[in-house]
Structures are given as C-alpha cells and as structure tokens.
Amino acid sequence: MELFYRISLHELVADILTLIEERELSSKNALERVFRRVSGRDREKARGLAHAYVFEIEKWRAKIDFIADSVLKGSEMKDLDAYLANLIRIGIFEMKLRGTPPALATDSIVRVVKEKYDLPMAKFVNALLRGAEGFDLEKALKKLREKDRLGYLSIKFSHPRWYVEYAIDLLGYENAVRLLLSNNRGQRYYVRVNPLKTDIDSLRDYLEEHGVRTARTPIEDVLKVLDYRTPVTRLEWYEKGYFVIQDLASAYVAHVLKPEPGERVLDLAAAPGSKTFHAAALMENRGEIVAVDYSLERLNRMKEKMKTLGVRNVRLVHADGMKFTDREKFDKIILDAPCSSSGTYRQFPEVKWRFDEGKIRKVVQVQKAMLRNAYRNLADDGEMTYSTCSIRLDENEENIVYALNRIGFELVNYPFSWGDKGFLEIGDRVFRAWTHRHDCNSFFIAKLGKG
C-alpha cells in the first residue's frame, strides 16, 4: 500500500509562521524544519513561494493585524490560537496585499480551518475574511492619523510602536520615516570573499560571468550585489566556500578588530560564525580562535561551514558567553552581543514582533554581563570589538559608557573610514551604520582596550 501525505501551501505557511512565533526561530530555520517533511516534484517551487509569503506577512504583520482587529471588534488577533491567527493573516495578506481575488483567498483559508478545527470556527473565519474584504484601509489609516500619529506610523509602515517612537526621538521625524521606509524595501545582499580560497577580483569576475552584477564597497573584501540572474546561493563557488553572504556592516567588525596571524582570539557569541570565519581568514588560519556559543545546534552548523570554507584554526566551545573563561588570556576578543536585532528589520522582519521594552531590558543585562566577562578574558594589552545590530542607545553607547566607567575598559580611537558617528559623549569615537543611509543593517561598533 502506498500512502501520500498532502499539504496545501497555506498549511505550510501557517506551520512556518507558527514555528517562528512560538519557538522564536528565524524564518530560514522554520522554513527548513517544515520542508524536511515535504517532498515531490514541485518542492523547490513551493519552498520559494512559501518563503516569499512568510517574508511579506512578517513584514506587514502590523498592517494585517490592524485590518483583522478592526473587523473583529471586541477581541484581537493576539487572543486567538496562533495557528488559526496565522491562517487568517495569510487570507488577509492574499486579498489585501497580494491581489488574490477575495473569494478565492477566503475559500482556500476556510477549507483549511474546516479541516483543522470545526464548522463553527470555519463560519467565524469566513465572516472575518468577508469583513476584511470590505474594510477600507486607507480611510481607517486617515482616521487613525488624526488621533494617534505614532499609531498611524506603526500601522502604515508595519513596525512596533516602541520602535517608531524610539526612532523619532533618536533621529528626528524625517530621518525616522526614511528609516521605516528603508526597512520595508527589498533585501540588499552583500558577498564577502573567502581569501583562503580566492581573491576579490577573481570573485567579481566569476560573479559577472554567472550573471551577477556587483559594485565595490567601503570594505575591500566585500561586494554589493546589484542584480542577478541566478541567486548567488545556487552558484558552485558559494557551495564550495569561495565566498559567503555577509552584511556590509557586519563584515566591518573583523577589520576593526584586526586580528593578526598567530594571535589568540575569543569570540564570545560566535554563532552563526560570520565574524569568526572572517577573523580566521584575516589570520591566514594561523593562531587560534576560541568560538563560544550557548547553542549546540548552531555550533554544529558552524562546524559544517568551517569545512566548506577551509577554516582550520577555530576551536568550537559550547558554553555561556557570560561565564566562559580559559586557561590563558586572549589577545583579541569579538563580542557581537545578543541584542534586540532592531537594525535588521529589512533582512529579518520576524524579529520586529519579538521584543518589547521589558525583554530588551533583560537583553541589556546580558550584554553588560558579557562585557564584564570579556574584560576577565582579555590580556592586559589586548583589544576587543563590541558590536550589535541594534539602533538603541541602551544596547550600544550606554553599554560602552558602562564598560568605561564601571568595568575598566578604555575606548580605542579607531579611524573609522565610513559610516556615521554615534551619540552621547563618546559619539565621535564609535561607529554607526543605518539602513536608510548606508544600504545595510543598522549597526554599532566600538573598539575597546584594557585599561
């Protein structure tokens, strides 16, 4: 007897969205987990379509939920079962943002709800989606703008309210709106050459031969991808580790640190490994890098990537970066601290909905603990980089002031060759990149020495 398990695109997408929400996985990891149980001739086509759905629904989730909540009247999407709420999001996304005929979008979702739940629930969802079909979003936004400007901007640009308020306070209204707009634009890809296998000119020639048009960047070993015929991740040189995908600002960290061949380097929050592997390449595989991370699963993925890239001087350690110490001190330390990821919304829109002020306060305490531990591990004449992909002062400049005044670090006057200055009294000695100004993740870097 042959049995076939069939699943619709809407069920796949709802599964992925629910994994992202309930287990706080990245969209990439959730997609991988769900597609492990999917097979068939159209698997890759379905995978691409599911990824596009997930990315756009996460990007526009505030706007989608605003429509649903307006129709619900009395309850909210956050009160519903997560899987059911995600099915409703898919239906609203299709009819309001993707241009699917409303009757088709509604019928597809109602059929899944009837199968997964029951007839009364299917009738409830049918009524909700019919209401969403007739909902005048522009009229509702205009009304909201008159009484709540922050709420209007939050829904219009689909960002958390706290983020909108914070960005306006930090950057002013005009630049904050530019940042919100930029976060919602298409992803920008950067590739970093792996000098253990090739050089930047050869890489650029190879990419051009394969229909990938690139431009040079302020970082000598990084190229900006302008357009492509074939996604770079499908090229042979990517599979063989001749280059990696790494954001422009992220790739600046290893250059600022400037690890030398033969040194001992510690990466206190190493996974997924981009900065670790970059440092290894700059060290020409000489010396030692101890790469610490609390996630064994992510360390195992790093181990496989090391083989592909030809990295041989990295020792992976499963440990807590707030507590790890080694027998000897380190010449250099990378602390790319866990953060709110509020600078990566264009690349990972799902993280928009993951943090609130209370959770960010807890993250800041982790960052401070990791800074204290970095000081314990750093040699007396050693140097380290502290970086985050966050826009916030409390995760960046305020932490550096804490490191100077309370821990004993000194701020190294590094000659940053691009980017913007930061804030507070140390602003002219730290690095800031912004999505709307530099076409990459919003990012922070400071270089510290042991005082």
Side-chain angles (χ1 to χ4, degrees):
M1 179 186 292
E2 277 193 310
L3 297 175
F4 297 89
Y5 177 64
R6 298 177 64 87
I7 187 168
S8 70
L9 174 68
H10 298 97
E11 290 171 274
L12 282 172
V13 173
D15 282 346
I16 296 165
L17 290 169
T18 304
L19 269 178
I20 291 169
E21 185 174 351
E22 293 186 339
R23 301 199 188 179
E24 294 197 348
L25 297 179
S26 69
S27 56
K28 179 182 177 182
N29 288 344
L31 193 77
E32 287 174 357
R33 289 197 184 194
V34 168
F35 269 81
R36 283 175 194 160
R37 58 185 167 90
V38 177
S39 61
R41 184 178 55 192
D42 295 325
R43 182 181 185 274
E44 289 309 306
K45 182 179 178 182
R47 182 187 175 95
L49 192 55
H51 177 265
Y53 264 65
V54 169
F55 190 88
E56 291 301 312
I57 289 169
E58 291 290 3
K59 182 194 292 186
W60 298 111
R61 180 167 157 172
K63 187 175 286 188
I64 292 168
D65 282 12
F66 175 71
I67 295 170
D69 289 345
S70 299
V71 175
L72 279 166
K73 293 177 181 176
S75 60
E76 295 181 334
M77 289 282 276
K78 66 181 182 181
D79 301 322
L80 300 179
D81 169 75
Y83 187 82
L84 180 67
N86 284 321
L87 285 170
I88 293 166
R89 288 184 181 112
I90 295 166
I92 294 175
F93 164 71
E94 286 193 323
M95 73 171 71
K96 288 295 191 181
L97 300 176
R98 195 169 185 266
T100 302
L104 179 60
T106 299
D107 182 62
S108 299
I109 297 301
V110 169
R111 274 192 281 116
V112 176
V113 174
K114 191 182 297 183
E115 180 186 325
K116 297 284 185 180
Y117 295 89
D118 52 30
L119 185 59
M121 188 64 78
K123 289 182 177 179
F124 163 75
V125 171
N126 182 71
L128 193 160
L129 291 177
R130 294 293 183 193
E133 177 186 347
F135 182 73
D136 189 334
L137 178 61
E138 293 308 313
K139 182 178 178 181
L141 282 175
K142 185 178 180 182
K143 186 176 179 180
L144 182 62
R145 184 178 188 175
E146 292 170 356
K147 65 177 183 179
D148 182 3
R149 185 181 70 161
L150 287 177
Y152 162 77
L153 292 171
S154 173
I155 302 305
K156 180 177 175 60
F157 295 109
S158 194
H159 279 65
R161 185 186 179 97
W162 72 258
Y163 181 99
V164 174
E165 185 173 12
Y166 199 95
I168 291 173
D169 288 345
L170 190 65
L171 302 173
Y173 182 82
E174 184 178 332
N175 274 311
V177 169
R178 288 179 61 209
L179 178 59
L180 298 175
L181 280 165
S182 187
N183 285 343
N184 286 334
R185 293 203 175 102
Q187 290 189 74
R188 171 63 71 193
Y189 293 100
Y190 291 90
V191 296
R192 177 178 62 75
V193 68
N194 177 10
L196 300 174
K197 294 201 170 185
T198 189
D199 60 76
I200 192 71
D201 293 325
S202 298
L203 173 61
R204 194 173 189 192
D205 290 343
Y206 171 83
L207 292 172
E208 187 174 322
E209 289 167 10
H210 289 79
V212 181
R213 194 164 61 90
T214 62
R216 301 304 289 259
T217 71
I219 302 176
E220 60 189 14
D221 52 4
V222 177
L223 297 171
K224 176 190 283 192
V225 176
L226 301 177
D227 56 54
Y228 54 86
R229 284 200 309 265
T230 303
V232 293
T233 53
R234 294 183 187 173
L235 297 177
E236 183 181 14
W237 273 25
Y238 176 78
E239 293 175 356
K240 291 186 173 181
Y242 283 66
F243 67 91
V244 298
I245 295 174
Q246 186 174 1
D247 182 71
L248 180 67
S250 169
Y252 197 32
V253 172
H255 288 290
V256 174
L257 183 65
K258 202 175 180 181
E260 300 289 346
E263 289 185 325
R264 293 190 79 238
V265 177
L266 173 64
D267 190 338
L268 274 174
S274 299
K275 298 169 188 68
T276 311
F277 302 146
H278 196 183
L282 294 178
M283 293 166 70
E284 301 169 0
N285 263 337
R286 291 148 55 197
E288 181 187 37
I289 301 176
V290 176
V292 174
D293 204 86
Y294 69 90
S295 169
L296 186 58
E297 181 182 356
R298 282 154 62 93
L299 285 172
N300 286 333
R301 286 200 292 267
M302 281 183 67
K303 187 176 182 179
E304 292 303 310
K305 191 70 173 178
M306 282 169 60
K307 295 176 185 175
T308 303
L309 298 175
V311 170
R312 298 190 302 273
N313 68 331
V314 173
R315 174 161 61 95
L316 301 175
V317 178
H318 182 215
D320 185 343
M322 292 187 285
K323 299 175 182 177
F324 172 83
T325 55
D326 206 11
R327 298 182 308 277
E328 301 174 50
K329 304 289 187 181
F330 291 87
D331 303 303
K332 302 278 172 67
I333 294 179
I334 302 168
L335 176 49
D336 187 55
C339 70
S340 65
S341 301
S342 52
T344 67
Y345 288 178
R346 182 167 69 171
Q347 188 177 2
F348 304 112
E350 65 269 18
V351 301
K352 287 196 274 192
W353 320 115
R354 202 162 279 176
F355 288 89
D356 56 25
E357 292 289 347
K359 197 168 182 180
I360 291 171
R361 280 194 295 273
K362 293 178 182 178
V363 169
V364 171
Q365 293 309 309
V366 170
Q367 292 162 351
K368 288 179 175 177
M370 294 185 84
L371 277 164
R372 292 192 297 269
N373 194 39
Y375 188 84
R376 288 192 288 268
N377 279 283
L378 191 62
D380 288 342
D381 58 348
E383 294 181 334
M384 66 170 279
T385 51
Y386 174 86
S387 59
T388 78
C389 51
S390 168
I391 70 166
R392 295 177 60 108
L393 295 177
D394 51 359
E395 297 184 80
N396 296 316
E397 285 89 348
E398 289 178 13
N399 271 344
I400 298 304
V401 171
Y402 170 82
L404 302 180
N405 295 340
R406 302 287 296 278
I407 301 177
F409 280 109
E410 293 180 347
L411 195 54
V412 176
N413 287 315
Y414 184 81
F416 296 107
S417 58
W418 65 285
D420 283 359
K421 294 180 178 180
F423 302 91
L424 307 183
E425 64 270 26
I426 61 166
D428 60 349
R429 293 190 287 165
V430 299
F431 167 90
R432 284 273 194 167
W434 298 97
T435 304
H436 66 292
R437 285 180 50 78
H438 305 104
D439 201 22
C440 61
N441 287 340
S442 297
F443 211 83
F444 175 88
I445 305 173
K447 190 168 186 178
L448 300 167
K450 198 163 186 179

